[in-house]
Amino acid sequence: MNDKTRLEALSTFLKAKRTQIKPETIGLPAGTRRRTPGLRREEVAQLAGVSTTWYTWLEQGRDIKVSSIVLDCISTALQLNSDERDYLYDLALETKLEIDHSKKEQSELSPSLKRILDELTYCPTIVTDRHCHIVGWNSAASHVFLDFQQIPNDQRNLIQLVFARKELKTLAVNWEHFAKGFLSIFRTYYGHYLGDEWYNQFISHMSHLHPEFQTLWNESQVSKAPEMVIEFRHAKAGKMLFNLTSLQVQGDMDLRCSIYTPVEETDTENKLKRLMTRVSMEKL
């Protein structure tokens, strides 16, 4: 990410977070003369204890010097959570990680991780890298989502599939909520790996192909490990409820496990068992 792109990303993020704060939540009148939703720049500046001019320059994406102390004040004023605060730091302080382009991305999972996937028999699980490319999955994931084995390796990007495949768009009852969860994770990578131009190329490509991607991306949600309840309407199994848990895999590669655990006191696990048994019988 070059400086121009980084500063544009910083500007977009600050504007999005400012407009998402309702004035009445901080004791200000909502008023009828506000031309845009959320707070005004001068109100954020006052809350952060900085000059309006300086904050305006920061939000405009000007190349100015910032300190961690001031960023803490900005974070508090914008009510950022810890993940959003880290993202702000990555962009504003330009915390670049060196990218070893000569090193191939991992395409084979370690035997121990494969064993873990197999042991999660009735918990659909997907393993992705820092580009959200799918590098592993278990049988349950193939039954609930897609048969990833039938998708060419260069097309197995989780973000791309969520927006491109109609099976996934109809699977999640609240598809937008489903997509936002993955985009919030993707944004943490985007801010963390500032030296990797792949992200800008991918975002540009997705924005061109899928207008809804750009709309949701501009909301600037950030979360390293969102936990949520997802309701699916599976074509063969019907209503299924899962708890999504996202875990980082320790090691040389930046891998993540997205684990969908059947919600207790529902019939989800039994439905999944019947689905997997029925599909296995059909293949005999």
Side-chain angles (χ1 to χ4, degrees):
M1 190 188 299
N2 58 41
D3 282 343
K4 181 176 182 295
T5 305
R6 174 181 64 83
L7 292 172
E8 287 176 351
L10 174 61
S11 174
T12 299
F13 179 69
L14 290 173
K15 289 176 184 176
K17 291 299 142 185
R18 174 169 60 83
T19 59
Q20 289 169 12
I21 300 176
K22 295 181 179 180
E24 55 269 28
T25 63
I26 59 170
L28 295 174
T32 58
R33 295 184 179 181
R34 292 181 179 269
R35 292 176 295 178
T36 57
L39 300 182
R40 300 186 179 99
R41 285 174 176 167
E42 56 267 29
E43 291 168 339
V44 174
Q46 183 177 3
L47 290 170
V50 298
S51 73
T52 300
T53 299
W54 186 90
Y55 178 76
T56 299
W57 286 350
L58 181 68
E59 193 180 280
Q60 287 177 340
R62 297 197 188 188
D63 192 6
I64 59 177
K65 297 297 182 181
V66 297
S67 68
S68 58
I69 295 176
V70 174
L71 288 179
D72 279 341
C73 294
I74 297 294
S75 297
T76 300
L78 293 175
Q79 302 176 6
L80 303 185
N81 61 36
S82 60
D83 292 340
E84 292 169 335
R85 187 179 298 241
D86 289 345
Y87 179 71
L88 174 63
Y89 265 72
D90 285 338
L91 293 180
L93 298 180
E94 198 175 2
T95 311
K96 288 187 178 181
L97 290 181
E98 292 298 323
I99 308 298
D100 185 358
H101 293 288
S102 65
K103 186 176 181 180
K104 292 184 178 180
E105 295 292 338
Q106 178 170 325
S107 58
E108 292 291 330
L109 300 182
S110 65
S112 59
L113 189 51
K114 286 182 178 179
R115 175 69 181 276
I116 292 173
L117 284 177
D118 291 338
E119 291 294 329
L120 293 170
T121 310
Y122 300 115
C123 294
T125 303
I126 300 173
V127 181
T128 53
D129 63 16
R130 61 184 173 85
H131 289 159
C132 289
H133 184 78
I134 300 172
V135 298
W137 61 89
N138 61 6
S139 178
S142 292
H143 284 80
V144 172
F145 299 108
L146 296 168
D147 186 354
F148 298 112
Q149 192 63 46
Q150 301 302 315
I151 300 174
N153 181 60
D154 61 352
Q155 298 177 26
R156 287 184 199 149
N157 183 279
L158 185 57
I159 302 296
Q160 181 176 328
L161 292 174
V162 165
F163 284 86
R165 296 298 291 257
K166 63 180 181 180
E167 301 97 313
L168 296 181
K169 281 196 168 184
T170 57
L171 176 64
V173 172
N174 188 338
W175 174 84
E176 192 171 291
H177 179 62
F178 182 59
K180 284 180 180 180
F182 290 116
L183 285 181
S184 67
I185 294 173
F186 186 73
R187 187 175 289 278
T188 65
Y189 288 129
Y190 174 68
H192 201 52
Y193 290 100
L194 294 177
D196 190 348
E197 284 296 328
W198 176 90
Y199 289 95
N200 295 319
Q201 296 170 8
F202 180 79
I203 292 168
S204 177
H205 174 72
M206 289 293 295
S207 297
H208 176 71
L209 288 181
H210 307 286
E212 64 269 45
F213 170 87
Q214 187 170 26
T215 299
L216 297 182
W217 179 251
N218 287 341
E219 291 188 14
S220 298
Q221 293 191 7
V222 186
S223 180
K224 295 176 182 176
E227 293 193 6
M228 61 184 75
V229 177
I230 301 291
E231 180 179 346
F232 292 148
R233 294 285 180 173
H234 196 275
K236 295 182 178 180
K239 179 180 177 180
M240 308 175 84
L241 290 172
F242 291 96
N243 289 306
L244 170 60
T245 303
S246 181
L247 303 175
Q248 285 292 124
V249 180
Q250 299 299 314
D252 294 335
M253 303 301 294
D254 199 342
L255 298 181
R256 177 186 299 271
C257 282
S258 296
I259 305 170
Y260 292 79
T261 307
V263 174
E264 295 183 358
E265 299 181 359
T266 71
D267 200 32
T268 299
E269 184 169 335
N270 289 330
K271 288 180 178 179
L272 181 54
K273 289 179 180 179
R274 291 194 294 268
L275 173 64
M276 295 175 69
T277 300
R278 183 165 65 249
V279 173
S280 297
M281 293 295 292
E282 290 173 355
K283 292 181 179 180
L284 294 179

